[in-house]
Amino acid sequence: MTDSPSKIQYQFGTKLREIREKKGYTLKQVAQSAGVSESLVSQIERNKVSPAIDTLLTLASVLDVNLEYLFEEYNRQKPITIIHEGERRELYEDDVRMEELIKTREQNSEHSMESYMLTIPVGSSTHRGNYGHIGHEFGVILEGKGIMHYESKQYELREGDSVSFAAGSPHMLENSGDIPLKALWVVTPAQRFVK
């Protein structure tokens, strides 16, 4: 039986061995400190067995190694995400449409981000930011023109213009043209597409 292609093979044993040798510890010393057998440590270092999480945490503690370092290859191997046109989730704020462009991976995190295609009908505007919220926003006007209301000021935006701002202050994007305003919008942390 072969492993499923989607199964990730962890190779942190090699790193554990390199760290142990660099620190001048013997297999026996590490095994005794971790409360496991010397044979188990050897098998882990040769990537022959995958340790239980508590064993791995103990070994990392004994060797004083950061877990992020052990798993950095796994973090790099995360698959890309593609959302095909026609398969995007949509949200509405009254008649303003938002089409999701990226999947939010880090929900409820200050590092989470969302991006969507924003369509504002003629004579309409966004209003969720009227009172402000945490984070930052960035947008590029793709079609049409609008007015960015930020705090007590107004800024005209035309096709090709971009805008970025701290979202903590009241803000609103109004379509001031005679065609639907279309924009690519990025918000961090994620506010709307978090499920």
Side-chain angles (χ1 to χ4, degrees), residues 34-51:
V36 296
S37 72
E38 193 173 334
S39 171
L40 177 61
V41 175
S42 175
Q43 289 179 336
I44 292 169
E45 287 187 352
R46 290 180 288 127
N47 298 305
K48 297 293 185 187
V49 298
S50 185

Side-chain angles (χ1 to χ4, degrees), residues 32 90 125 139 151:
Q32 285 179 339
E90 293 183 356
S125 64
E151 295 179 338

Side-chain angles (χ1 to χ4, degrees), residues 26-76:
T26 65
L27 276 171
K28 186 174 184 178
Q29 288 173 317
V30 171
Q32 285 179 339
S33 296
V36 296
S37 72
E38 193 173 334
S39 171
L40 177 61
V41 175
S42 175
Q43 289 179 336
I44 292 169
E45 287 187 352
R46 290 180 288 127
N47 298 305
K48 297 293 185 187
V49 298
S50 185
I53 189 68
D54 58 338
T55 302
L56 179 61
L57 292 172
T58 303
L59 288 172
S61 177
V62 167
L63 293 170
D64 192 28
V65 60
N66 188 322
L67 288 175
E68 287 183 15
Y69 171 69
L70 291 180
F71 288 97
E72 66 182 353
E73 280 82 12
Y74 166 71
N75 289 334
R76 282 201 294 263

Side-chain angles (χ1 to χ4, degrees), residues 11 29 42 56 138 142 156 192:
Q11 300 291 315
Q29 288 173 317
S42 175
L56 179 61
F138 163 77
L142 303 176
E156 281 192 31
R192 297 170 176 87

Side-chain angles (χ1 to χ4, degrees), residues 32-153:
Q32 285 179 339
S33 296
V36 296
S37 72
E38 193 173 334
S39 171
L40 177 61
V41 175
S42 175
Q43 289 179 336
I44 292 169
E45 287 187 352
R46 290 180 288 127
N47 298 305
K48 297 293 185 187
V49 298
S50 185
I53 189 68
D54 58 338
T55 302
L56 179 61
L57 292 172
T58 303
L59 288 172
S61 177
V62 167
L63 293 170
D64 192 28
V65 60
N66 188 322
L67 288 175
E68 287 183 15
Y69 171 69
L70 291 180
F71 288 97
E72 66 182 353
E73 280 82 12
Y74 166 71
N75 289 334
R76 282 201 294 263
Q77 291 176 18
K78 286 183 179 174
I80 64 168
T81 301
I82 296 172
I83 302 177
H84 296 286
E85 188 173 6
E87 296 176 358
R88 297 175 184 150
R89 288 191 300 171
E90 293 183 356
L91 290 179
Y92 284 85
E93 188 177 273
D94 293 335
D95 57 352
V96 175
R97 183 176 70 186
M98 290 158 276
E99 295 178 74
E100 182 181 38
L101 297 176
I102 62 170
K103 294 279 186 196
T104 301
R105 292 184 178 272
E106 301 150 331
Q107 295 182 10
N108 303 320
S109 161
E110 64 179 315
H111 303 295
S112 69
M113 176 179 68
E114 66 186 2
S115 179
Y116 47 87
M117 194 69 69
L118 181 65
T119 304
I120 305 174
V122 175
S124 191
S125 64
T126 63
H127 55 266
R128 185 166 179 177
N130 283 355
Y131 303 103
H133 55 83
I134 61 169
H136 288 81
E137 296 192 22
F138 163 77
V140 179
I141 307 302
L142 303 176
E143 293 178 19
K145 62 181 183 176
I147 297 174
M148 185 76 218
H149 298 263
Y150 188 81
E151 295 179 338
S152 60
K153 297 182 180 174

